[in-house]
Amino acid sequence: MAKYRVDITEPAENYLVDIVKYIASQWSAPFSALDMMDLLEEAMTGLSELPQRCPVIRDERLSQMGYRKLIVKNYFVFFSIDEKNKVVNVERILYVRRDWLRIL
């Protein structure tokens, strides 16, 4: 089985940093913030093997763009797959209650 390279875009990386900062400061839980970061990073790294296991988003516009969604606790990891180059592009990480259809 071919492995995929996982690339994390700048918006996704920035939101990951924001998640950690928010949990650490608003909840006064720095260890929980680091645990969440580790969990998200592990989930994204796991996309290197069989990223097709995550469904294509049902929205017509986003499905045409090839966006898929991975659920990690209270966050959605949005990504697309470049089959030709065997690359998974992590586009965004968003809190599940955000209006992600409008944001994406």
Side-chain angles (χ1 to χ4, degrees):
M1 180 184 308
K3 281 211 166 213
Y4 291 75
R5 185 179 80 232
V6 178
D7 288 345
I8 302 173
T9 64
E10 188 174 339
E13 192 71 47
N14 290 341
Y15 199 76
L16 182 58
V17 170
D18 290 345
I19 291 167
V20 172
K21 287 179 183 177
Y22 178 81
I23 294 171
S25 67
Q26 296 297 316
W27 294 1
S28 299
F31 293 112
S32 294
L34 293 175
D35 288 345
M36 180 54 70
M37 182 181 73
D38 290 343
L39 189 63
L40 284 163
E41 287 179 340
E42 183 179 314
M44 289 185 289
T45 301
L47 291 171
S48 67
E49 294 181 12
L50 197 61
Q52 299 85 353
R53 71 182 181 275
C54 299
V56 174
I57 296 174
R58 293 184 188 170
D59 178 78
E60 185 178 337
R61 178 182 61 90
L62 296 175
S63 68
Q64 287 178 354
M65 296 168 62
Y67 274 35
R68 294 171 178 266
K69 176 174 63 175
L70 172 66
I71 302 169
V72 182
K73 294 233 177 206
N74 292 331
Y75 296 93
F76 291 144
V77 176
F78 295 96
F79 67 95
S80 58
I81 304 170
D82 177 350
E83 288 292 351
K84 181 180 176 190
N85 296 308
K86 298 294 184 203
V87 176
V88 172
N89 295 300
V90 175
E91 306 292 345
R92 296 295 291 259
I93 305 167
L94 296 172
Y95 184 66
V96 295
R97 292 191 177 184
R98 303 268 323 253
D99 184 4
W100 54 269
L101 282 173
R102 185 183 53 79
I103 294 169
L104 296 174

